């Protein structure tokens, strides 16, 4: 059908994108802004465009220009030309009617964007919006898909459909990286990080989930071999929550376990686009697929309120586990809602909610619920009854897994987020976020949280003074540990401070090849570092030499 001509739109100001019309001079500060605007415009005018040619903002063959580091991920391209889907097609190939008597449609409609003079935005430099044919509503409905411009332009849809939700093999990652090399630098960098991961850790598990029939990346699941081992060793309690917001409409979700030292340890990550459906089940199912033996061993999965959707279906994946929502976060969400609605008697209602959340029995819960119904405004009561009451078994104290003890969820997630933030701010791209997460999986990073003085105090309480002093010294020196690798037959090989120096900690994590251990059979810095890495208890009296043993 005919469109408004470019001449009518040529006078639009730079801010005209908000007006919903397309024309010369229109400016877009991000590719996401343009693609969202263009989807709305195409949907309103019932037209179909495809990308005819493009030039990435940066090239893999050239070093990045000084003004491009952050723009490379937001603008993506320096030149893009879009043409009508039926440019160059023939009558009979599609459900269109040609305006003139010719077999070839050759529609002239096209739109061109170029990097603006200030190198910080894309500008519409051509806008031929008149088509020479009519498009049936049926074909538009069948062919139009939103967010296609945000798809990976380097990965064919047949490939993204086939790899989606499956664990990637290392050789497949290399092939995908090769596909993306020429057209999609962001996807190529992301796949390059996966390639690096597999070279260092062939046992890692990675999933890339793409929107079906559109090569748009919706989520990434990844877990290293070390994460698998932690999940196997400590499957009883798991914790899952949104840990950070990432650039590009993505959010980071982390799954933690609790090791023998009471520390929260990462066992899986998921980077997901906001609004991705069925995310909770996807994350938990992917973890179980990575480490199948934990399926019947997880006793409790505690999730944050951001993961509430899908809470009722997770128990199908973990049949022996109690799934609960962090009670402190529920109360925080209820208090926030009360403040938003300016609820009269807010303090009294919040006190009632605390009593209700900590109810010692279902009968007590029902009594406090009746009190809430008597005093709460209708809008707030409706919110509570629709959002939280149906899930009462997952957050009220009398149904909780942790009945007589406080749940460590908040402490674990807070410590995890404090560790994350520096790693996620170095590079704002999706590939940079993955690199930052993988950099956290190192012994030096874990040793930063070593509470050496606290552990040393426990040894001083049970061991001879001289032995305890030597143990305290080794615990303090353990903080300076370097690299660690699994040893053949079990245990670990740790880097020493000298060039080429390395020490082997036995499979029982109670013996070491270093002179400190061999001289007196006292726990050394290498044993403590290896035990911390593996999640095994740092305080263990069996590590001390027998009484009277002077080495």
């Amino acid at each position: 059908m005919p469109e408004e001509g470019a001449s009518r739109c040529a006078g639009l100001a730079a801010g005209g994108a908000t007006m919903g019309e397309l024309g010369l001079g229109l400016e877009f500060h991000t590719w996401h802004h343009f693609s969202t605007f263009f989807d709305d415009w195409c949907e309103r005018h019932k037209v179909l465009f495809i990308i005819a040619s493009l030039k990435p903002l940066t090239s893999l063959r050239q070093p990045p220009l000084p003004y491009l580091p952050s723009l490379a991920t937001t603008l993506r391209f320096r030149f893009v030309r879009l043409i009508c889907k039926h440019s160059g097609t023939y009558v009979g190939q599609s459900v269109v009617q040609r305006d003139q008597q010719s077999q070839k449609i050759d529609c002239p409609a096209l739109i061109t964007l170029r990097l603006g003079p200030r190198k910080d935005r894309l500008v519409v430099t051509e806008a031929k919006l008149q088509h020479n044919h009519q498009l049936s509503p049926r074909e538009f409905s069948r062919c139009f898909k939103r967010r296609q411009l945000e798809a990976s332009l380097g990965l064919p849809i047949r490939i993204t459909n086939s790899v989606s939700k499956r664990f990637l093999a290392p050789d497949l990652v290399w092939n995908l990286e090769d596909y993306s090399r020429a057209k999609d630098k962001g996807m190529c960098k992301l796949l390059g990080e996966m390639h690096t991961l597999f070279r260092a850790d062939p046992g890692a598990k990675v999933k890339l989930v793409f929107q079906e029939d559109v090569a748009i990346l919706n989520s990434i699941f990844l877990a290293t071999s070390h994460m698998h081992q932690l999940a196997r060793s400590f499957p009883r309690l798991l914790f899952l929550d949104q840990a950070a917001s990432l650039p590009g409409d993505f959010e980071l979700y982390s799954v933690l376990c609790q090791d023998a030292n009471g520390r929260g340890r990462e066992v899986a990550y998921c980077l997901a686009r906001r609004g991705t459906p069925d995310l909770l089940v996807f994350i938990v199912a992917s973890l179980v697929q990575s480490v199948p033996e934990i399926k019947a061993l997880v006793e409790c999965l505690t999730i944050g309120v951001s993961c509430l959707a899908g809470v009722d279906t997770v128990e199908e994946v973990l049949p022996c586990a109690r799934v609960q929502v962090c009670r402190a976060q529920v109360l925080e969400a209820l208090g926030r809602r009360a403040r938003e609605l300016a609820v009269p008697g807010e303090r009294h209602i919040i006190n009632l909610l605390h009593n209700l959340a900590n109810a010692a029995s279902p009968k007590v819960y029902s009594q406090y619920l009746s009190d809430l119904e008597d005093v709460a405004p209708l809008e707030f009561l409706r919110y509570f009854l629709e959002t939280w009451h149906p899930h009462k078994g997952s957050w009220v104290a009398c149904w909780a897994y942790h009945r007589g003890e406080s749940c460590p969820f908040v402490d674990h997630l807070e410590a995890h987020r404090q560790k994350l933030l520096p790693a996620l701010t170095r590079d704002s791209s999706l590939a940079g976020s993955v690199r930052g997460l993988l950099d956290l999986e190192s012994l030096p990073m874990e040793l930063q949280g070593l509470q050496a003085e606290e552990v040393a105090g426990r040894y001083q309480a049970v061991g001879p003074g001289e032995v305890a002093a030597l143990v305290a010294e080794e615990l303090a020196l353990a903080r300076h540990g370097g690299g660690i690798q699994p040893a053949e037959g079990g245990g670990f090989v740790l880097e020493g401070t000298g060039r080429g120096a390395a020490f082997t900690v036995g499979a029982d994590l109670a013996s070491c090849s270093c002179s400190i251990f061999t001289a007196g059979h006292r726990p050394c810095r290498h044993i403590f570092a290896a035990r911390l890495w593996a999640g095994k208890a740092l305080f263990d009296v069996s590590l001390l030499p027998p009484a009277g043993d002077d080495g």
Side-chain angles (χ1 to χ4, degrees):
M1 74 178 177
E3 291 288 342
E4 298 169 344
S7 59
R8 180 175 175 184
C9 299
L12 285 175
T18 59
M19 298 169 60
E21 286 306 329
L22 184 62
L24 298 178
L26 210 56
E27 297 179 349
F28 300 91
H29 290 268
T30 69
W31 182 249
H32 175 71
H33 179 203
F34 170 72
S35 62
T36 303
F37 166 84
F38 193 65
D39 281 348
D40 292 341
W41 184 83
C42 289
E43 204 162 19
R44 188 165 57 255
H45 293 287
K46 300 295 185 287
V47 290
L48 295 170
F49 280 81
I50 59 174
I51 293 178
S53 58
L54 54 83
K55 292 181 181 178
L57 194 61
T58 57
S59 168
L60 291 178
R61 299 177 181 87
Q62 300 172 351
L65 297 173
Y67 56 82
L68 295 182
S70 60
L71 292 179
T73 57
T74 56
L75 291 179
R76 291 185 65 179
F77 309 108
R78 64 174 66 248
F79 169 85
V80 180
R81 174 161 289 156
L82 300 143
I83 61 174
C84 172
K85 181 178 183 290
H86 296 293
S87 177
T89 61
Y90 289 83
V91 173
Q93 288 182 317
S94 194
V95 188
V96 296
Q97 293 180 353
R98 178 76 160 85
D99 287 349
Q100 302 172 14
Q101 298 301 314
S102 170
Q103 285 296 103
K104 196 168 186 179
I105 297 169
D106 204 18
C107 181
L110 66 85
I111 298 157
T112 301
L113 293 93
R114 295 182 184 273
L115 192 64
R118 286 176 284 184
K119 313 295 185 186
D120 63 347
R121 66 198 68 187
L122 291 168
V123 182
V124 177
T125 59
E126 282 185 286
K128 298 178 181 179
L129 306 180
Q130 187 168 358
H131 298 256
N132 66 356
H133 59 86
Q134 291 185 349
L135 182 71
S136 74
R138 181 179 177 183
E139 182 176 12
F140 178 82
S141 176
R142 178 172 57 85
C143 297
F144 177 75
K145 291 183 175 66
R146 294 186 67 86
R147 294 167 63 185
Q148 288 193 92
L149 294 182
E150 294 189 67
S152 168
L153 301 173
L155 296 179
I157 288 174
R158 61 181 174 80
I159 291 180
T160 58
N161 282 351
S162 68
V163 305
S164 192
K165 297 185 180 180
R166 294 167 45 195
F167 288 121
L168 299 180
D171 57 343
L172 179 58
V173 170
W174 186 90
N175 290 333
L176 295 176
E177 186 182 0
D178 195 48
Y179 268 116
S180 302
R181 196 173 303 279
K183 290 185 176 180
D184 193 334
K185 182 177 174 66
M187 178 59 70
C188 189
K189 286 178 62 178
L190 176 62
L191 290 164
E193 293 297 344
M194 304 302 177
H195 194 184
T196 301
L197 168 62
F198 280 125
R199 279 203 307 269
D201 182 8
K205 297 291 186 180
V206 175
K207 283 184 183 180
L208 299 181
V209 181
F210 294 88
Q211 187 174 325
E212 189 174 3
D213 296 330
V214 183
I216 294 175
L217 182 63
N218 274 356
S219 58
I220 304 167
F221 173 90
L222 62 88
T224 66
S225 296
H226 179 57
M227 290 176 172
H228 299 158
Q229 191 54 53
L230 287 170
R232 290 187 190 98
S233 299
F234 309 103
R236 191 172 69 89
L237 305 178
L238 297 181
F239 310 88
L240 193 163
D241 198 11
Q242 179 188 334
S245 293
L246 304 175
D249 203 32
F250 274 77
E251 294 169 325
L252 171 67
Y253 292 82
S254 299
V255 186
L256 312 179
C257 68
Q258 180 170 291
D259 70 11
N261 296 298
R263 296 177 54 173
R265 304 291 296 276
E266 299 84 2
V267 295
Y269 290 118
C270 182
L271 297 83
R273 197 178 293 274
R274 290 182 183 90
T276 299
D278 303 320
L279 191 58
L280 177 61
V281 173
F282 167 72
I283 296 172
V284 177
S286 297
L287 176 61
V288 171
Q289 290 166 3
S290 303
V291 197
E293 52 266 48
I294 73 170
K295 181 171 184 174
L297 300 177
V298 179
E299 296 180 13
C300 181
L301 169 67
T302 305
I303 64 172
V305 295
S306 62
C307 304
L308 185 65
V311 66
D312 294 329
T313 57
V314 173
E315 290 184 1
E316 297 175 13
V317 184
L318 296 173
C320 302
R322 175 77 60 82
V323 180
Q324 63 181 26
V325 184
C326 174
R327 193 177 313 135
Q329 286 192 2
V330 174
L331 287 169
E332 184 180 336
L334 286 166
R336 186 166 55 248
R337 185 66 168 173
R339 289 189 293 274
E340 289 171 357
L341 296 175
V343 172
E346 176 188 325
R347 183 182 296 275
H348 176 55
I349 287 177
I350 288 177
N351 287 338
L352 268 179
L353 291 169
H354 275 79
N355 292 336
L356 187 149
N358 292 289
S361 69
K363 182 178 180 180
V364 173
Y365 173 86
S366 297
Q367 291 171 347
Y368 282 120
L369 178 59
S370 178
D371 293 342
L372 185 68
E373 291 171 340
D374 289 340
V375 298
L378 182 61
E379 189 174 359
F380 180 82
L381 187 61
R382 183 183 296 114
Y383 164 73
F384 177 82
L385 292 176
E386 292 178 355
T387 306
W388 297 109
H389 178 65
H391 303 295
K392 61 183 182 297
S394 66
W395 60 275
V396 177
C398 61
W399 289 289
Y401 176 85
H402 297 276
R403 294 192 65 173
E405 55 182 308
S406 60
C407 176
F409 177 91
V410 173
D411 292 338
H412 289 338
L413 265 295
E414 182 59 30
H416 173 62
R417 289 182 178 120
Q418 289 179 6
K419 186 168 72 169
L420 278 178
L421 291 179
L424 295 177
T425 54
R426 291 194 289 266
D427 183 342
S428 62
S429 68
L430 200 56
S433 297
V434 170
R435 176 74 266 149
L437 293 175
L438 295 175
D439 286 344
L440 291 177
E441 297 303 307
S442 68
L443 179 59
M445 285 300 305
E446 286 300 327
L447 288 170
Q448 288 182 16
L450 172 60
Q451 302 294 323
E453 294 78 8
E454 178 184 330
V455 179
R458 298 180 68 183
Y459 277 106
Q460 288 167 353
V462 299
E466 182 181 353
V467 172
L470 291 171
V471 169
E473 182 180 352
E474 291 301 304
L475 274 164
L477 291 170
R479 288 198 180 108
H480 307 295
I484 186 170
Q485 295 292 332
E488 191 172 340
F492 296 96
V493 177
L494 286 86
E495 293 178 2
T497 53
R499 178 178 296 180
F503 303 97
T504 301
V505 175
D508 60 355
L509 303 189
S511 61
C512 181
S513 63
C514 73
S515 59
I516 294 172
F517 177 81
T518 55
H521 293 280
R522 299 183 183 93
C524 62
R525 66 201 74 174
H526 312 114
I527 289 175
F528 286 126
R531 292 176 77 90
L532 183 76
W533 178 245
K536 201 165 183 179
L538 294 174
F539 175 72
D540 186 342
V541 293
S542 69
L543 295 177
L544 298 175
D549 186 352
D550 60 0

